[in-house]
Amino acid sequence: MRRLAYLNKPELPILLLGGLAASIHGVIFPMFGFMMSSVIKTLYEPPHLLHEHSKKWSLVYMGIGITSIFVIPFQNFFFGVAGGKLIRRIRYLCFEKIVYEEVKWFDHPANSSGAIGARLSTDAANVRSLVGDQLALAMQNIATIAAGLIIAFASNWLLTLIVLAVVPFIFIQGYFQGKFRTGLSADAKVSLS
């Protein structure tokens, strides 16, 4: 993983811009929930305040929509560019190593031209999905969790602490549910074959 980060070092500014876009994208959904509660509160106000605040919240929602229209493509673009450049760099390094191999190395069936081409293609694509899609999703999830926790602590810190105390049990339940599903699918596969 460290070598992968070193290979991607020239694209650090692009990754930072992509990380910023992913963070903004991740903050949109907690903000949407926070604003939804404010809109519901607005519905119980007197008519003159209701009209005024409904205009304000509709403009805020429109601003969030416009922000997401720009942020999501920027996130995909920046991480796609960084992933594409990383693929090119990895393929170049692999091809450079292959060129300097001895001739007898190519006699093995695992090192035929078709196998080498397929390996260059699939391995680099797997690395690109790790750098592009997975990194963007991780940044987005971190921003979502951070914004959600900030909003929760600002709203009601005591309830937030109670919910955070229950989170480990939810993770344990998810782990056992995954194990149970894996066991069921393995049993079904055995009984069907």
Side-chain angles (χ1 to χ4, degrees), residues 11 82-94 124:
E11 283 79 39
K85 288 184 177 184
L86 180 64
I87 284 178
R88 187 178 70 207
R89 193 172 297 114
I90 288 174
R91 284 183 179 159
Y92 174 77
L93 290 172
C94 289

Side-chain angles (χ1 to χ4, degrees), residues 11 26 28 31 34 47-48 54 63 75 81 83 109 132 135 182 193:
E11 283 79 39
I28 286 175
M31 288 301 298
F34 176 72
H48 67 284
S54 64
Q75 168 191 333
V81 166
L135 187 60
T182 305
S193 41

Side-chain angles (χ1 to χ4, degrees), residues 178-192:
K179 286 288 190 183
F180 182 70
R181 284 185 180 173
T182 305
L184 281 181
S185 65
D187 290 343
K189 199 180 287 185
V190 167
S191 67
L192 292 175

